[in-house]
Amino acid sequence: MSVLLAALPPHGGPDAAGVPLHDFSTNSNACGPCPEALHAVQQADATCYPDPAYTALRESLGAFHGVAPERIVLAGSASEFIHRITALAAQQGACAVALPAHCYGDYPQAAQARGLALLRSLGAYRTWSVESENRPQRAQFLPESQPHSRAMGQKYGEKWAAAVDWQPTISKSDRLLDAGSASLQWACEPGSPQGLADPALGLWAQAAADADPAAPPVLRVLDCAYAPLRLDGAAWPESFAPYWQLWTPNKALGLTGVRAAYAVAPPGSGAQVQALSALAPSWPVGAHGVAMLQAWVQPGVQRWRAASLVTLAVWKQRQLALCERLGWAVQGGSLANYFCALPPGGLQERDGAHLRAAGIKLRECTSFGLPGWVRLGVRPPAAQDALQVAWRARAPDAGKKDS
């Protein structure tokens, strides 16, 4: 492995072998790309600089979210904003960053690059030890209906037991302390990799209500990357919420190759908006990113997104059934177009290599603190069928547990 690759956090999507034919490792909308948004990107004028102030774009995004344009901060990508706001926190004297239990690798990477401690709340950390009250519950591995036979019930029980025994790891650099003491706090809902609700949001609301006006402001950021891909019909965060909202529409549009994002500042954050703008490079969003974000707010694009959720929900149920046939334990509760599953014995390196050679890529979850688990983005039926064939075509000794 090169020095460069060793320094990068793991990601889903294409790798040195190219674009996977069936890519379960990404959470991008499998119904995409959105035709209207794709057309807008293709028609973008790449011969000119964008407006450096992004005046029209900020007005459009502000109107879309029901906020003043001054509350919109453009970013080259979600990752760029993560590093920029972490730099701001460090500049303002932060010593620590609070993270979700399992989260996107750029949150800790940005913090550690600036010498900040990583805090994880004991109350929110999903340590799946047998002794923990937060361990996987049997209901998370049971079907919606009762099993048709005692043998089927026993089978689900065995998967639950395997999941309980397979515990996540906690990095020694992460301290399980009061995350509320951090000057920069992250949440993501639905979270990655499990697609679960984030318990931090309820704590934030109370903390904002109890905040001392004379105390230094706390930067709280809700990563809304997967909010547009929620399959439970929940409303998006309110415009008056007392925290930053980071939006990356490229996933919902199936256009992850277009790098552009924006954040909605909470009310009364003018000084923070100015400080973040001062830390930004000129033209953080290029012409194609501007075109995608302008398309994002169009009614036709939002209708397409809403329709795609119906299709994704159907595909998700089919994919969950596939995992059951393969003998994989599924972590319940996912709100989005992805979920975590545990193959028997955990995903082995040779399994991943075999699948990759067959044109299939999964997102192994060791970097999330869930070794052996995989995150599966919902894919179309043809991709699911290919996964089933490739998994069952592994070496004979690898398939004994799920034959």
Side-chain angles (χ1 to χ4, degrees), residues 227 229-236 305 309 335:
L229 289 165
R230 288 186 73 137
L231 303 181
D232 63 345
W236 291 1
R305 181 191 63 83
L309 299 183
L335 306 171

Side-chain angles (χ1 to χ4, degrees), residues 61 63-66 189-190 201 222 224-241 243 245-249 252-253 262 264 296-298 301-303 305-306 309:
L61 293 170
F64 182 68
H65 287 277
E189 186 172 300
L201 294 182
L222 172 62
C224 300
Y226 305 112
L229 289 165
R230 288 186 73 137
L231 303 181
D232 63 345
W236 291 1
E238 298 287 354
S239 61
F240 54 79
Y243 45 75
Q245 299 174 28
L246 176 57
W247 293 88
T248 48
L253 298 176
Y262 63 96
V264 180
W296 167 243
V297 303
Q298 301 306 313
V301 170
Q302 290 302 316
R303 286 194 295 270
R305 181 191 63 83
L309 299 183

